[in-house]
Amino acid sequence: MTLSARQPAREGASATTLYVDLDGTLIATDLLWESVCRLAQREPASLLRLPFWLARGRAALKRELAARVDVDVATLPYREEVLAYVRGERANGRRTVLATASDASLAHAVAAHTGLFDDVIGSDGTANNKAEAKLRAIREREGDRPFEYAGDARADLAIWRGAVAATVVAASPGTERAARALGIPVRTLSHRGSALRPALRALRPYQWVKNVLLFAPILLAHEIGSPTRLAQVVAAFVSFCCVASATYLWNDLLDVEADRRHPRKRERPFAAGALAIPTGFALSLALLAAGVGLSLAVLNAKATAMLLGYLALTTSYSFYFKERVFLDVLLLAGLYTHRILAGGAAAGVAVSPWLLAFSMFFFLSLAFVKRYAELLGAKADQREKLDRRGYEVDDIGLVENMGTTSGYMSVLVLALYVSSDSVERLYASGGLLWGICPIMLFWVTRIWFLARRGEMTDDPVLFAATDRVSYLAGAAIALVGIAAALR
């Protein structure tokens, strides 16, 4: 029997207590995994202690985590349909209890924030109140009195067997069928969506455009027509995309609480609760294994070392450098330059020092654009600083000055390269390359004008990938380069 969300589970329902699970039911996430992510972000060395805490039992693990990290319960992804249901039942005079296997301290914080529960059942560091243990805790309060239970997981079947009615929230089809087979009234508040689309979003495939820089060395060395070199760079591109997506997953897991306070990033899969944290962790390990495995199988040792270096740099950025003023943008710019070096290593092509110098200044400017846009948003929201960043709103003028200066220095490097002897060895009409300089001056200036007007997204590289004017500028640069190379 399936009931609509507006129908009572049975006659006299207001006389029964409604017990509501927390993880996966009231909220679209799991506080145990949320706590592990907080610990990784704040005390990464303490992750080594997790197995020892777990050896004492899951309840002890949860208590140790709760003692070390603070979870902002106000930002958790609450399920509105569950909140509405509990609110309506309380309005009808029904007693409600939050019953969870999460640590009691977190459960009490959630109950206080929502103001919807008369009592709380949670793990106490010794007993892990899940499945049969949770049912015993309910029976200690209710005795033989009937109760209704709202849950989402297969472990909740043990409680539903002792209940007079079940409310199923975003459960798997198998769990929902098993609940209906118990012979009690079943209310379904929401259905579990597919994890495929959130998983694809979390991989950020649009970020793979940055790895096109791997092709820059063979393109500028006029070796793009070599099948062997091109195949090596393609393999490097795939490897970098896999490893990059793995690190984006880690970054989002570490930033999940800060993302929830951001007007746009709060829609990211982990922040919104659309993708389970364990799924993200497993997916990141699979991508990492695929990327490194492909590199070891196909690429030379130097290219593989560059890939591992990229992994180390991005990981250090997520755990440490992201919160360090200037070091963060310096590392972001360095990661773009690192891709160019990796492309040269994969293809066996020497990378011009001119290209490296241009890349460093150019991408440093874009990294500053990213921070400038974030600071502008923080100022509009009347925040004094950025979450998980070392910048304050008062730094916005300095960030703008350093960013524009870096952008113009990249054009200066380009001009010096065009006037160097290196151009004569590669281009028949090297003087035509001077035409690229005004195009770059226009593009850099335009990016900063848009940023100043608040029209820039917080990632200028991705903005350029969808901007018509940027495509026209890129096409113009390509035409000048082709004309200069023709003999």
Side-chain angles (χ1 to χ4, degrees):
M1 177 181 180
T2 301
L3 303 174
S4 72
R6 295 183 179 179
Q7 292 176 311
R10 58 181 181 79
E11 292 185 5
S14 61
T16 67
T17 302
L18 172 62
Y19 285 83
V20 181
D21 181 38
L22 176 57
D23 300 313
T25 302
L26 185 68
I27 58 176
T29 187
D30 187 303
L31 287 181
L32 172 60
W33 287 100
E34 292 269 338
S35 299
V36 171
C37 290
R38 303 295 189 285
L39 187 69
Q41 187 251 315
R42 298 173 186 176
E43 301 177 24
S46 294
L47 293 176
L48 299 175
R49 305 171 70 180
L50 289 178
F52 301 99
W53 295 337
L54 183 59
R56 291 159 41 201
R58 291 180 71 86
L61 170 64
K62 294 171 183 177
R63 177 53 54 93
E64 293 287 354
L65 288 168
R68 285 167 171 77
V69 299
D70 296 321
V71 176
D72 186 357
V73 297
T75 64
L76 291 172
Y78 291 91
R79 296 192 189 276
E80 291 300 327
E81 64 274 20
V82 179
L83 290 175
Y85 176 56
V86 177
R87 193 177 294 116
E89 294 302 297
R90 281 179 63 84
N92 291 331
R94 196 173 191 184
R95 184 170 180 268
T96 57
V97 178
L98 183 62
T100 177
S102 287
D103 191 78
S105 62
L106 295 176
H108 279 288
V110 169
H113 170 69
T114 59
L116 294 178
F117 299 98
D118 301 296
D119 198 1
V120 170
I121 294 174
S123 297
D124 58 5
T126 302
N128 185 44
N129 283 317
K130 185 177 182 179
E132 289 82 3
K134 186 185 290 187
L135 179 60
R136 288 194 296 270
I138 293 174
R139 284 301 182 199
E140 288 176 2
R141 285 166 168 75
E142 296 296 323
D144 294 329
R145 293 191 299 272
F147 68 91
E148 179 184 345
Y149 178 75
D152 70 291
R154 197 158 193 84
D156 293 323
L157 289 169
I159 300 110
W160 283 325
R161 290 189 184 98
V164 296
T167 296
V168 179
V169 181
S172 66
T175 298
E176 194 167 341
R177 285 193 299 270
R180 291 200 181 100
L182 296 175
I184 60 175
V186 174
R187 179 194 318 274
T188 300
L189 286 186
S190 64
H191 296 280
R192 179 177 296 184
S194 171
L196 180 59
R197 181 171 293 181
L200 289 175
R201 284 181 55 214
L203 296 184
R204 302 195 210 175
Y206 56 86
Q207 295 277 10
W208 295 347
V209 67
K210 298 175 181 179
N211 295 325
V212 171
L213 288 171
L214 290 159
F215 294 90
I218 61 170
L219 178 64
L220 296 179
H222 300 180
E223 294 286 348
I224 193 72
S226 170
T228 302
R229 296 186 193 278
L230 182 59
Q232 291 294 300
V233 179
V234 169
F237 175 82
V238 175
S239 295
F240 266 78
C241 288
C242 289
V243 172
S245 287
T247 59
Y248 292 142
L249 289 169
W250 297 344
N251 183 75
D252 286 357
L253 289 172
L254 293 173
D255 278 356
V256 65
E257 189 170 273
D259 285 349
R260 287 176 182 147
R261 290 191 287 265
H262 194 278
R264 291 184 304 277
K265 295 179 181 179
R266 64 187 178 189
E267 300 300 326
R268 285 179 173 176
F270 295 119
L275 186 65
I277 291 174
T279 301
F281 182 69
L283 187 57
S284 69
L285 292 181
L287 286 167
L288 181 61
V292 175
L294 175 63
S295 182
L296 289 171
V298 177
L299 301 178
N300 57 56
K302 187 176 180 181
T304 299
M306 294 297 293
L307 177 67
L308 295 176
Y310 171 81
L311 174 63
L313 289 172
T314 52
T315 302
S316 66
Y317 173 79
S318 295
F319 280 97
Y320 180 78
F321 288 105
K322 176 180 285 190
E323 301 181 34
R324 301 296 179 268
V325 173
F326 186 66
L327 291 178
D328 62 333
V329 291
L330 198 61
L331 182 56
L332 286 176
L335 286 171
Y336 287 106
T337 306
H338 187 92
R339 290 177 173 94
I340 295 173
L341 288 169
V349 171
V351 179
S352 166
W354 291 108
L355 175 59
L356 297 180
F358 169 82
S359 171
M360 196 66 224
F361 285 117
F362 179 71
F363 289 111
L364 182 60
S365 179
L366 297 189
F368 275 122
V369 169
K370 181 180 176 69
R371 290 293 176 264
Y372 182 86
E374 291 172 344
L375 285 169
L376 210 59
K379 185 178 181 179
D381 296 337
Q382 297 183 333
R383 288 180 288 150
E384 294 183 358
K385 61 182 299 183
L386 299 177
D387 290 329
R388 287 210 69 202
R389 301 289 190 273
Y391 298 87
E392 300 178 358
V393 170
D394 289 342
D395 298 328
I396 194 167
L398 185 59
V399 169
E400 180 181 4
N401 290 336
M402 290 190 293
T404 52
T405 300
S406 299
Y408 292 136
M409 286 184 69
S410 70
V411 181
L412 175 61
V413 171
L414 177 61
L416 292 173
Y417 167 70
V418 172
S419 61
S420 71
D421 295 337
S422 302
V423 169
E424 296 181 2
R425 294 193 295 268
L426 290 172
Y427 296 89
S429 305
L432 293 177
L433 294 178
W434 281 105
I436 297 177
C437 292
I439 300 174
M440 288 300 303
L441 280 171
F442 163 77
W443 191 87
V444 169
T445 303
R446 178 175 178 267
I447 285 291
W448 276 101
F449 263 99
L450 292 174
R452 183 70 182 269
R453 293 171 179 174
E455 300 175 15
M456 174 61 59
T457 62
D458 57 7
D459 194 326
V461 175
L462 300 182
F463 170 82
T466 58
D467 176 48
R468 184 175 64 88
V469 175
S470 296
Y471 276 111
L472 291 174
I477 290 172
L479 288 175
V480 172
I482 293 171
L486 293 177
R487 296 185 182 278

